[in-house]
Amino acid sequence: MKTQLERHENMILRQENDKLRAENSVMKDALANPICNNCGGPAIPGQISLEEHQTRMENARLKDELNRICALANKFLGRPLSPLASPMALPPSNSGLELAIGRNGLGGSSNFGMPLPMGFDVGDGALGSSPAMSTMGARSPMGMMGNEIQLERSMLLDLALSAMNELIKMAQPDTSLWIKSSDGRNEVLNHDEYARLFSPYIGSKPAAGYVTEATRGTGVVSASSLGLVEILMDADQWSEMFSSMIASAATVEVLSSGTGGTRSGALQVMLAEVQLLSPLVPARQVSFLRFCKQHAEGLWAVVDVSVDIGRNVTNSHPLMSCRRLPSGCVIQDMPNGFSNITWVEHSQYDESVIHQLYRPLVSSGIGFGAQRWIATLLRQCDCLAILRSPQGPSEDPTAQAGRTNMMKLAQRMTECFCSGICASSACKWDILHIGNLADDMRIMARKIDDPTEAPGIVLSASTSVWMPVSRKRVFDFLRDENLRGEWDLLSKDGPMKEMLHIAKGQDRGNCVSILHSANSECNVLYLQESWSDASGSMVVYSPINMQALQMVMSCGDSSFVPLRPSGFAILPDGTSNNGDGSDGGGSCLLTVGLQMLPNGNHQSAKFTMESVDAVNNLISFTIQKVKDALGVA
């Protein structure tokens, strides 16, 4: 038995010995080809230097950082970016994506020879970071979060710099990027030259159904470059200056407020909805970066470029998805105090959501193009210049303040009228889907939430028609108080007199006025605003009582005056050779909008089909009366 036990123990020891020999063989193989757990390369002590080992560790860290950058690119630019792309597949120097590692990264220099601001503090919402934060970033979770924020901001800055570079090149007067259109009046983008100079980015080719539009315009405005830059970088002032174009605007985040106490270097993320005054064209909703930079004394540039901030708008209003390619303006001060401005608009939009009647206007670039921005800016700057100049040496300051107060009331009236036509997400209107309405008719309703008014519901109806009459002729007819009885039911078929006239431009048609019926049986007052420029015309009016008028002219609070605006928007049709109809020919697109109370009273908290039919019939009646007066069949 003792011999059997010894044999059994001997067998166990042999098995353990074989196992140890196998482990020893594996360890010898591992020692022959060691691999570093951190960098993945060979790690034989004595065969590679310490510097090479540190280089491989740095390479592994950079690979991890590249993966994070690619993930951020997918988030902000809306297209996949592979971290395994070869150097030959990387964008060239003029591309819009260098990921803040190339020539335009933080701490580098810009494309225009001006150094970027350094030493910003992330906590203050700026763009840079301190060395202490970059050291902490590799050691703690909070530091890693700070690194990701830093990467996002550096990517946004690089995108803004590349967009600025593109804008400057497209704004050059002698560039081959633009060619004359067939009629010789406008400029058209040379797409072949554009593709040669700029590599595609932020979406490159448009999606199915999307088309590209690009326009450029120039003008001289009565404002300084600093004043215009301040307006463009402030969302409230920007939307007020272009109130007929911008349905809503907001600054989502300010990444940098500028350097040296100026707006140069200011970078912010914004949301906006740009509208065309017709229910047949959805508002364009865009989220974009806005970057401002001073390139020389008296020379500024402001550029926009779309970014995806993951918005999720949930409302019943139809909106047109739009991607804003590098667009903006270059502003140059002139010795006489004016500014020479070059505006570039470049975007991609879904054409399928636009009504056939308005596609020629939009595709021509007149609807949302640079010429419309320039024309609106010229008109508004002329208006501000007139308001700031005294009307006479003996004018009462109270009278001047009253005129300004009346202008504010008229602006609120026009903004309310535009909101009743264009269904943007900022409006409180609900679109009514009624089966028996025509496709080109839109009816909306909203509750009255103003505490100064009785609770109730307001109906808004609008439609657009093509008119074989010039835009100038339609505008002159609608704004003429002597001809108002030919289409306005409230005037009792009689003319009206102008009690007050406040000029808003050199043209007499650009004004705010108070109209009173010349008929003794009709005791109605109208507040009316009318204007016309190269991009379109508008006539908006609202009933107003004498008590409210006296209160406004006495510098009272005009925000308490209730308004029910109605009016007309007159736009080119995009096909006529003479857009303004100055020679008597041409055609135009007429939009009619009305706002009224159901059953004509505040007590009605509900609307009925009779109310809908009434406002529908009123619009049809108004259009027919205008056509009859202008001799249109």
Side-chain angles (χ1 to χ4, degrees):
M1 186 173 293
K2 181 178 180 181
T3 301
Q4 290 178 355
L5 290 174
E6 288 176 352
R7 288 176 181 174
H8 181 69
E9 291 176 358
N10 192 23
M11 183 179 62
I12 293 176
L13 290 174
R14 283 197 186 101
Q15 291 177 354
E16 292 180 357
N17 190 27
D18 293 341
K19 187 184 297 184
L20 291 174
R21 285 179 179 178
E23 292 178 358
N24 191 22
S25 177
V26 172
M27 293 179 66
K28 285 181 179 181
D29 293 339
L31 289 175
N33 301 295
I35 297 176
C36 178
N37 294 329
N38 292 325
C39 67
I44 302 177
Q47 293 188 6
I48 61 172
S49 64
L50 181 61
E51 292 181 358
E52 185 177 353
H53 184 68
Q54 290 178 347
T55 301
R56 288 173 176 170
M57 295 285 291
E58 179 70 11
N59 186 41
R61 187 187 65 80
L62 291 176
K63 286 182 179 179
D64 182 62
E65 185 175 348
L66 179 59
N67 290 331
R68 292 201 306 270
I69 289 177
C70 292
L72 293 174
N74 297 341
K75 175 182 177 182
F76 282 100
L77 303 182
R79 67 183 179 96
L81 184 69
S82 173
L84 302 179
S86 62
M88 296 297 295
L90 292 178
S93 60
N94 61 355
S95 169
L97 183 61
E98 294 182 3
L99 300 179
I101 300 178
R103 287 163 290 279
N104 293 334
L106 285 174
S109 59
S110 69
N111 294 328
F112 310 100
M114 298 180 67
L116 295 180
M118 294 293 292
F120 285 110
D121 184 5
V122 175
D124 293 335
L127 296 171
S129 65
S130 62
M133 175 169 286
S134 61
T135 303
M136 180 185 66
R139 298 180 181 177
S140 67
M142 291 299 293
M144 292 295 292
M145 186 181 300
N147 263 355
E148 292 183 1
I149 294 175
Q150 194 63 28
L151 287 173
E152 290 184 7
R153 298 191 177 195
S154 61
M155 278 188 57
L156 294 176
L157 174 62
D158 185 73
L159 182 62
L161 287 170
S162 298
M164 179 68 74
N165 183 25
E166 183 171 321
L167 173 67
I168 293 298
K169 290 181 179 179
M170 295 184 72
Q172 295 297 325
D174 54 350
T175 181
S176 58
L177 284 166
W178 301 94
I179 56 178
K180 285 291 184 180
S181 59
S182 57
D183 57 7
R185 297 186 304 163
N186 300 318
E187 292 179 311
V188 180
L189 180 65
N190 186 345
H191 292 279
D192 294 335
E193 184 69 9
Y194 178 83
R196 187 184 68 84
L197 290 179
F198 304 105
S199 296
Y201 69 106
I202 58 169
S204 59
K205 297 181 180 179
Y210 278 62
V211 296
T212 301
E213 69 173 18
T215 55
R216 185 173 74 165
T218 59
V220 177
V221 297
S222 57
S224 66
S225 60
L226 289 176
L228 292 176
V229 165
E230 192 64 32
I231 290 173
L232 294 173
M233 297 305 294
D234 185 277
D236 293 335
Q237 295 187 51
W238 179 51
S239 59
E240 183 177 353
M241 176 65 76
F242 300 93
S243 57
S244 62
M245 299 182 62
I246 301 174
S248 65
T251 301
V252 178
E253 183 178 4
V254 177
L255 301 175
S256 174
S257 57
T259 58
T262 69
R263 286 287 191 176
S264 182
L267 179 64
Q268 57 197 34
V269 182
M270 302 183 69
L271 270 176
E273 292 179 14
V274 186
Q275 63 188 3
L276 189 66
L277 294 177
S278 171
L280 306 182
V281 182
R284 291 183 175 182
Q285 186 181 60
V286 288
S287 56
F288 56 93
L289 279 175
R290 175 159 290 182
F291 180 50
C292 175
K293 190 172 184 181
Q294 182 180 15
H295 296 282
E297 184 66 28
L299 178 62
W300 291 78
V302 179
V303 66
D304 298 343
V305 60
S306 279
V307 291
D308 185 8
I309 60 174
R311 64 184 183 277
N312 182 22
V313 180
T314 55
N315 57 61
S316 58
H317 299 291
L319 295 173
M320 184 197 310
S321 58
C322 175
R323 179 172 290 276
R324 193 166 171 81
L325 300 178
S327 307
C329 58
V330 178
I331 310 168
Q332 173 71 62
D333 278 335
M334 300 175 65
N336 59 358
F338 285 46
S339 296
N340 186 10
I341 183 169
T342 301
W343 202 292
V344 175
E345 280 295 313
H346 194 190
S347 60
Q348 298 169 350
Y349 65 94
D350 185 3
E351 188 180 37
S352 63
V353 299
I354 300 176
H355 194 276
Q356 291 285 352
L357 189 64
Y358 276 82
R359 287 189 184 181
L361 172 64
V362 176
S363 62
S364 67
I366 302 175
F368 293 94
Q371 291 81 5
R372 187 183 177 199
W373 292 94
I374 289 287
T376 303
L377 185 62
L378 287 172
R379 173 172 51 82
Q380 291 287 68
C381 288
D382 289 345
C383 175
L384 291 176
I386 291 177
L387 285 179
R388 291 168 182 169
S389 62
Q391 299 299 303
S394 60
E395 183 186 20
D396 186 5
T398 305
Q400 185 174 3
R403 288 192 303 117
T404 304
N405 206 25
M406 186 64 69
M407 294 286 290
K408 291 181 180 179
L409 180 62
Q411 181 176 354
R412 180 164 70 89
M413 174 186 67
T414 303
E415 291 175 356
C416 184
F417 169 74
C418 295
S419 72
I421 293 179
C422 303
S424 70
S425 63
C427 301
K428 299 179 180 179
W429 297 94
D430 295 321
I431 299 178
L432 304 181
H433 301 282
I434 303 174
N436 59 352
L437 283 180
D439 293 338
D440 56 357
M441 175 74 71
R442 172 183 289 165
I443 295 183
M444 301 187 295
R446 69 173 176 88
K447 293 183 179 180
I448 300 177
D449 53 2
D450 192 340
T452 61
E453 297 187 60
I457 291 179
V458 178
L459 288 179
S460 173
S462 58
T463 188
S464 297
V465 296
W466 179 79
M467 300 282 289
V469 185
S470 71
R471 179 164 60 90
K472 183 177 186 302
R473 185 183 171 193
V474 175
F475 174 71
D476 290 341
F477 168 73
L478 292 174
R479 73 174 181 85
D480 191 344
E481 63 274 11
N482 295 317
L483 302 176
R484 194 180 189 97
E486 298 188 26
W487 56 268
D488 187 8
L489 284 176
L490 295 181
S491 63
K492 303 295 184 181
D493 297 331
M496 303 196 80
K497 295 182 179 179
E498 189 177 54
M499 297 175 53
L500 176 67
H501 181 93
I502 303 175
K504 292 186 60 180
Q506 301 300 327
D507 190 345
R508 180 172 174 79
N510 292 5
C511 65
V512 172
S513 54
I514 298 295
L515 304 180
H516 183 266
S517 176
N519 191 341
S520 59
E521 299 179 359
C522 178
N523 187 21
V524 61
L525 287 175
Y526 278 130
L527 168 64
Q528 177 174 292
E529 180 179 13
S530 60
W531 57 259
S532 182
D533 58 32
S535 65
S537 309
M538 182 181 290
V539 178
V540 185
Y541 59 93
S542 174
I544 186 174
N545 58 54
M546 182 60 72
Q547 183 180 1
L549 175 62
Q550 294 175 350
M551 185 266 293
V552 172
M553 293 304 296
S554 302
C555 303
D557 189 359
S558 61
S559 62
F560 291 97
V561 178
L563 297 171
R564 297 288 175 264
S566 301
F568 307 87
I570 315 156
L571 301 176
D573 62 357
T575 59
S576 304
N577 292 329
N578 50 334
D580 58 351
S582 55
D583 59 357
S587 53
C588 66
L589 297 171
L590 177 65
T591 296
V592 184
L594 300 175
Q595 294 184 22
M596 59 182 293
L597 299 171
N599 306 321
N601 59 68
H602 277 284
Q603 284 71 27
S604 177
K606 297 181 180 180
F607 61 89
T608 61
M609 286 305 301
E610 288 77 9
S611 302
V612 174
D613 292 338
V615 69
N616 189 14
N617 294 334
L618 183 57
I619 278 195
S620 301
F621 174 82
T622 303
I623 293 176
Q624 189 59 49
K625 295 288 284 186
V626 171
K627 287 182 176 181
D628 293 342
L630 295 174
V632 177

